[in-house]
Amino acid sequence: MSTQAIESLSEDTVRRIADERDEPEWLLETRLNALSALETAELPDVIQTPGRRWTDLEALDFEALVDPLNQSDATERTAGDDEVVVLPFTEAFDEYGDVIEANFGSVLDPEHNYLTALSVALFTTGTFVYVPEGVDVEDVTVRAEMNSRSLFSQTLVVAEESSSVTILESIESGEGSVDGDRYFSNLVEIVAGENANVQFGSLQNLDDDSYTYSLKRGVTDTYATIDWIESNFGSKLTRSDVETELNGDGSESQIVGTFFGTDDQHLDLNARVWHQAEHTTADLVTRGVLDDVARSVYEGVQDVGEDAWNTSSYQRENTLMLSDDAEADASPKLIIHNHDTEASHSATVGQVDAEDLFYLESRSIDSRTARNMLVEGFFVPVLEEIAVDEFRDDVEELVFQRLK
């Protein structure tokens, strides 16, 4: 796949985006390098079995989906504390340009694959979050509406030594969205300094004419923690990757995922952790529900390096099927190169328990209400892992709307 597949995409296009945003020269060069990488970059890997690709990204018509010079969004950012910096990139370069330059692309290589390169070359919206040393802030929110055929977003979080921050990010379709298929891309980089604590929650609820790609990756220093909450309810096709590199001794990461697929939604969800240092801990927890002819694909990877002594790594994924026509595939993986490791992984797929349903119906509860009660109960264990009340309430409300 080459840039010729998107006629509206050229070096002039990228330069115009950078010029309109008055960006520094180094970022323009980063964009142009990403543009050049499109000529040879591959689409993200998808799980394959003989005769079948579990997710067909090659079917995406980027010529129809990508309109780089007409991107539009309405984004509301709140900081909750004057000591934390929460700004769109265009407003952050003057004062924090050195910090952005030092960290942009340090966690996530813009040329990682075709979709990351496309996003870095074309992004027009995004947020820079900077948490100075020792600052503790809980309520950073970034709520965005997509109002165009395509939208490319970039987020960079830099948390310095002994700082702490909770960030809630959401995306939904705005009233200004155009008719027809749309494409949303979201790249997130988190740099967690020594003893820093970052919680990052992301809620995707785009309409069913949208295709979504997101890649979120964080890197931890010594004793740092990065916790992710990844919830996907919208979009026709969702590809979501959440990853942590545990590079500092004693660092930790938790990835909590929820999803609810209906109609013909396709959700390709991936959680990955690399244990690169000693005494690191990871916990991957995902629960989802499928109805109608929806389909989910899940891959979880726990990779324990040769020098990752005293590793603790756990993974569990559970999918509840509400329809005989829905389909779920799961591929949990342990890759262990160090014998001093405690690790486990599991994945289950199943229907609503018939005995539980019969018990509720025998107590004069109608079958639909009984089923909904069991679905709500199914989500409880993963909701209890979400420490942020506002985010948990949002997820519960979306589950309730789906069940209605």
Side-chain angles (χ1 to χ4, degrees):
M1 181 180 296
S2 67
T3 53
Q4 281 68 39
I6 307 176
E7 292 183 2
S8 57
L9 184 53
S10 66
E11 183 175 324
D12 288 342
T13 302
V14 173
R15 288 186 178 275
R16 182 172 167 183
I17 291 172
D19 288 344
E20 289 177 351
R21 294 159 49 84
D22 194 25
E23 292 177 348
E25 187 66 25
W26 69 262
L27 184 52
L28 172 60
E29 290 301 316
T30 300
R31 288 183 181 275
L32 292 175
N33 289 337
L35 178 70
S36 298
L38 291 174
E39 297 179 7
T40 56
E42 300 290 334
L43 286 166
D45 290 336
V46 298
I47 301 175
Q48 300 183 58
T49 49
R52 183 181 190 185
R53 296 173 65 86
W54 290 12
T55 300
D56 187 11
L57 296 177
E58 294 179 343
L60 293 177
D61 182 2
F62 289 102
E63 179 61 51
L65 291 171
V66 175
D67 189 3
L69 295 179
N70 293 294
Q71 300 183 56
S72 175
D73 67 287
T75 300
E76 179 182 346
R77 301 172 179 87
T78 60
D81 191 311
D82 292 340
E83 293 184 280
V84 66
V85 175
V86 183
L87 292 171
F89 281 100
T90 49
E91 298 177 21
F93 286 122
D94 285 347
E95 188 171 352
Y96 302 99
D98 291 344
V99 179
I100 298 174
E101 183 177 2
N103 292 281
F104 189 99
S106 66
V107 178
L108 176 56
D109 182 0
E111 302 171 24
H112 178 64
N113 61 48
Y114 184 90
L115 299 184
T116 59
L118 187 67
S119 197
V120 171
L122 300 181
F123 80 92
T124 60
T125 189
T127 304
F128 172 61
V129 179
Y130 175 59
V131 194
E133 182 176 346
V135 170
D136 184 355
V137 59
E138 294 186 354
D139 47 0
V140 173
T141 60
V142 181
R143 296 188 178 274
E145 287 186 353
M146 178 178 176
N147 295 316
S148 52
R149 183 168 306 284
S150 57
L151 184 65
F152 297 89
S153 177
Q154 190 89 22
T155 300
L156 172 62
V157 179
V158 179
E160 291 196 335
E161 181 178 345
S162 299
S163 65
S164 178
V165 62
T166 298
I167 303 164
L168 303 181
E169 175 189 81
S170 65
I171 180 71
E172 60 184 10
S173 299
E175 295 181 1
S177 291
V178 297
D179 294 332
D181 290 341
R182 290 178 289 283
Y183 180 76
F184 174 68
S185 176
N186 185 26
L187 304 185
V188 177
E189 296 182 277
I190 295 179
V191 181
E194 183 176 348
N195 202 40
N197 187 322
V198 179
Q199 287 193 87
F200 193 97
S202 186
L203 180 59
Q204 181 271 117
N205 192 33
L206 292 164
D207 64 30
D208 57 9
D209 288 325
S210 303
Y211 295 87
T212 303
Y213 173 70
S214 68
L215 174 54
K216 305 176 178 73
R217 180 178 291 174
V219 172
T220 60
D221 203 335
T222 307
Y223 299 119
T225 298
I226 298 178
D227 290 337
W228 305 91
I229 310 167
E230 178 77 358
S231 291
N232 287 283
F233 285 80
S235 186
K236 178 188 300 185
L237 183 149
T238 298
R239 168 62 186 246
S240 166
D241 297 277
V242 182
E243 305 174 346
T244 306
E245 296 181 24
L246 295 167
N247 290 345
D249 290 350
S251 59
E252 301 180 5
S253 184
Q254 183 182 51
I255 302 174
V256 175
T258 58
F259 64 90
F260 199 138
T262 59
D263 297 324
D264 62 348
Q265 282 184 279
H266 184 110
L267 300 114
D268 187 324
L269 311 171
N270 305 276
R272 303 182 183 94
V273 174
W274 289 271
H275 296 265
Q276 312 277 29
E278 298 182 9
H279 312 293
T280 57
T281 301
D283 191 21
L284 284 55
V285 187
T286 300
R287 284 205 168 202
V289 172
L290 297 176
D291 203 353
D292 304 316
V293 292
R295 174 172 166 79
S296 70
V297 176
Y298 169 83
E299 182 181 55
V301 178
Q302 303 146 274
D303 191 314
V304 181
E306 291 182 6
D307 299 322
W309 302 101
N310 193 25
T311 289
S312 298
S313 192
Y314 311 100
Q315 176 185 177
R316 44 205 188 281
E317 193 274 343
N318 307 99
T319 304
L320 182 65
M321 316 289 281
L322 303 183
S323 164
D324 291 336
D325 296 318
E327 188 174 355
D329 289 292
S331 178
K333 297 177 180 177
L334 284 172
I335 304 172
I336 299 177
H337 303 284
N338 188 308
H339 64 81
D340 188 16
T341 297
E342 181 178 302
S344 64
H345 69 308
S346 65
T348 65
V349 176
Q351 303 280 348
V352 171
D353 189 279
E355 290 188 8
D356 290 341
L357 194 62
F358 176 77
Y359 174 82
L360 292 174
E361 291 174 343
S362 70
R363 297 300 187 270
S364 301
I365 299 173
D366 67 86
S367 59
R368 184 62 179 251
T369 301
R371 189 200 73 163
N372 290 354
M373 291 173 65
L374 292 174
V375 172
E376 291 172 4
F378 173 78
F379 275 113
V380 166
V382 73
L383 290 173
E384 289 177 343
E385 300 284 351
I386 301 176
V388 184
D389 292 343
E390 181 182 353
F391 196 98
R392 186 170 58 249
D393 292 344
D394 287 347
V395 172
E396 287 180 328
E397 176 61 25
L398 285 173
V399 171
F400 178 73
Q401 290 177 12
R402 285 297 172 93
L403 292 174
K404 286 173 64 179

